[in-house]
Amino acid sequence: MDGKIHAVLGAGTGVAVAQTIGMEPVDTAILMSAGVIAGLVPDLDTAGKLANKISLSHKMIQGFVRTVGILAGAYAWFGLEGYAMYVGLALGIFLLVIAPKFSQKLMLLISGVAIIAAGVALTEVWVWLSGIYVAAAALVGHRSYTHSIAGLLFFAVIAFYINERFALEGLFWALVLGYASHLLADMRLVPGNKRGIKLFLPFSQKLI
């Protein structure tokens, strides 16, 4: 399903939680925003717009690596001699060869590792747990673990620590229900959604 629809559904869950507990407009807006984010999180397992939001563009990295490779080769050819020249040329060629290997998945994985490191440095549990989620999302296929009950439960743990950190009533449920709205919207029970999700991974591969 389109990301805009997931965002709208997430926003709706946030507003519903806020209205249920009688939140003020500012807090309602916060819960709505939390619902939007949570409603988009499962699609971090794709090399799409959401992944681009939290990681460097793989095309940018590819261009940078190619440029360094060309410069290294040119410097070796024009500025070095003998063994050093061949080493420099080999390095330049190596960089040109590996440049296409820098995919969005790799950048997402690197971002996840960086978030983990930041969370550990800041001693913020929800941050390093989020980093684990991001890194894991880079390693799994689309509509697999991030679209399962296992993914929902792991995100619920993250939501618990976010709620502990910011202590806003309803925040936990806005996040969890926003995430759950994404899974429901991607199920086969929704008209026109033939693909479905493997809700009970790793215990079942059945599409729901």
Side-chain angles (χ1 to χ4, degrees):
M1 187 167 288
D2 185 80
K4 292 180 181 178
I5 296 177
H6 286 306
V8 170
L9 292 174
T13 59
V15 171
V17 170
Q19 292 300 309
T20 299
I21 57 180
M23 302 292 282
E24 295 295 325
V26 173
D27 290 335
T28 297
I30 294 173
L31 295 190
M32 182 178 70
S33 300
V36 170
I37 294 170
L40 294 173
V41 163
D43 275 347
L44 277 172
D45 62 4
T46 67
K49 293 181 179 179
L50 184 57
N52 284 329
K53 294 293 184 180
I54 66 169
S55 65
L56 292 174
S57 167
H58 67 291
K59 292 183 179 179
M60 181 188 302
I61 298 298
Q62 288 176 358
F64 175 76
V65 174
R66 286 193 184 99
T67 301
V68 173
I70 292 171
L71 292 175
Y75 176 74
W77 182 259
F78 294 106
L80 300 176
E81 296 180 354
Y83 177 75
M85 181 185 71
Y86 291 114
V87 171
L89 288 173
L91 175 61
I93 293 171
F94 173 74
L95 291 175
L96 289 174
V97 170
I98 68 166
K101 304 297 182 182
F102 285 85
S103 65
Q104 188 61 49
K105 287 285 187 179
L106 176 59
M107 300 315 302
L108 192 61
L109 176 60
I110 293 172
S111 298
V113 173
I115 294 170
I116 293 171
V120 172
L122 297 170
T123 64
E124 290 282 2
V125 177
W126 71 272
V127 175
W128 62 258
L129 283 176
S130 298
I132 292 174
Y133 184 100
V134 171
L139 299 174
V140 300
H142 183 40
R143 290 199 179 192
S144 57
Y145 283 97
T146 64
H147 287 66
S148 71
I149 290 178
L152 174 60
L153 291 175
F154 188 82
F155 184 78
V157 174
I158 297 174
F160 171 80
Y161 283 104
I162 291 175
N163 189 64
E164 287 287 298
R165 176 64 177 82
F166 297 101
L168 176 63
E169 186 180 5
L171 180 57
F172 172 82
W173 289 110
L175 290 168
V176 172
L177 295 178
Y179 193 105
S181 73
H182 186 117
L183 304 190
L184 289 172
D186 278 350
M187 288 183 181
R188 282 181 167 179
L189 58 86
V190 177
N193 193 3
K194 297 180 180 180
R195 183 174 180 181
I197 59 175
K198 298 175 182 178
L199 188 63
F200 298 107
L201 282 174
F203 305 106
S204 173
Q205 296 287 329
K206 183 179 179 181
L207 290 168
I208 304 297

